[in-house]
Amino acid sequence: MSPVSLKIPTFEDYAHFYEKRFLDEVVYWADDSHYEISLNDYAYGRMLAQNEGEILERIIVVNGESVGTITARDYVERTCQCTLGIVIADPACWGHGYGYEAIKQFTTILATQGIGRVILETYANNKRALNCFHKIGFQKKRVFFAPNTGRFIVQMFLNLRPPKPIGEVIRPGDPRWKAPKH
Ligand SMILES: CC(C)(COP(=O)(O)OP(=O)(O)OC[C@H]1O[C@@H](n2cnc3c(N)ncnc32)[C@H](O)[C@@H]1OP(=O)(O)O)[C@@H](O)C(=O)NCCC(=O)NCCS
């Protein structure tokens, strides 16, 4: 069985990895720049954003321990696409295949929510992240220079397969078919 699972966030999850999340090494790869944020603002801010539907976030759990976040944001209804962010807050947990496994599980959740395409952006020198995303099947879309960070950014995308129905599919023409409500 996989050591990785995803769970709905609680304050305790964020508190568990808060210190490591803002280590210089993690911020260098995950953020545009350093910013000061208290545990309360960090944890409650993210839970509020999730409750308001601005983001869909899950906690990455490895062998029973909360180690980071995986997040979908900027959902575009017209194209059914969203932007993915992932941060494993403990550098000791990098490079063990946990990110790969977390993204696999999370994209399955997104597909069941009707998301058809996932976009992400990562620094061009973030070889670990690029390898991980490439292995999952993300393709390079474009590379651009971000003056605010002084670094190049790679934008990638992944098309998600719609989930397979587990029962009978009722299509237009079938007397039981009803038009979807908008
Ligand atoms: C990016 C991140 C989520 C990747 O997760 P991870 O668990 O470290 O990556 P994985 O171990 O799943 O990587 C999968 C593949 O990447 C490659 N890889 C792993 N470590 C690597 C390294 N140090 N250098 C180059 N490639 C590496 C391997 O090919 C690996 O495949 P393998 O299982 O066949 O060895 C994680 O490292 C992280 O959170 N980093 C800090 C924040 C960050 O960079 N976020 C991304 C911003 S979008």
Side-chain angles (χ1 to χ4, degrees):
M1 214 178 86
S2 167
V4 180
S5 60
L6 302 181
K7 73 182 282 280
I8 292 175
T10 63
F11 183 89
E12 289 68 32
D13 294 315
Y14 293 113
H16 190 75
F17 54 73
Y18 166 75
E19 301 251 317
K20 290 196 170 128
R21 169 63 184 82
F22 295 100
L23 288 174
D24 287 352
E25 195 185 357
V26 181
V27 168
Y28 175 78
W29 296 119
D31 302 308
D32 288 352
S33 58
H34 272 277
Y35 60 99
E36 293 286 321
I37 187 164
S38 67
L39 169 60
N40 276 356
D41 286 353
Y42 173 62
Y44 289 124
R46 298 195 81 99
M47 289 195 287
L48 186 67
Q50 168 129 265
N51 286 344
E52 309 243 303
E54 287 167 27
I55 59 172
L56 180 96
E57 182 152 278
R58 291 291 178 268
I59 298 294
I60 303 168
V61 179
V62 174
N63 293 321
E65 195 177 332
S66 304
V67 297
T69 50
I70 185 160
T71 315
R73 59 184 160 80
D74 298 338
Y75 172 64
V76 182
E77 196 170 353
R78 187 176 54 83
T79 51
C80 293
Q81 71 181 38
C82 67
T83 304
L84 182 88
I86 176 166
V87 184
I88 296 175
D90 184 352
C93 290
W94 296 350
H96 297 279
Y98 302 148
Y100 176 89
E101 187 55 38
I103 296 169
K104 281 277 185 201
Q105 294 181 22
F106 194 60
T107 49
T108 305
I109 296 175
L110 296 182
T112 60
Q113 303 277 326
I115 307 279
R117 175 180 268 219
V118 179
I119 311 273
L120 63 78
E121 287 180 356
T122 191
Y123 291 117
N125 64 341
N126 195 347
K127 293 277 177 290
R128 183 184 293 108
L130 287 171
N131 279 6
C132 175
F133 301 146
H134 192 73
K135 208 175 142 194
I136 285 163
F138 278 87
Q139 295 175 56
K140 197 193 287 180
K141 193 171 175 211
R142 65 186 184 116
V143 180
F144 60 94
F145 183 69
N148 58 326
T149 64
R151 284 189 275 176
F152 282 90
I153 290 181
V154 182
Q155 198 177 61
M156 305 180 93
F157 70 94
L158 176 74
N159 293 327
L160 303 183
R161 263 193 235 133
K164 277 200 198 114
I166 52 170
E168 187 189 1
V169 178
I170 298 181
R171 300 187 188 285
D174 187 307
R176 296 165 296 168
W177 187 81
K178 286 192 190 117
K181 287 186 197 133
H182 286 292

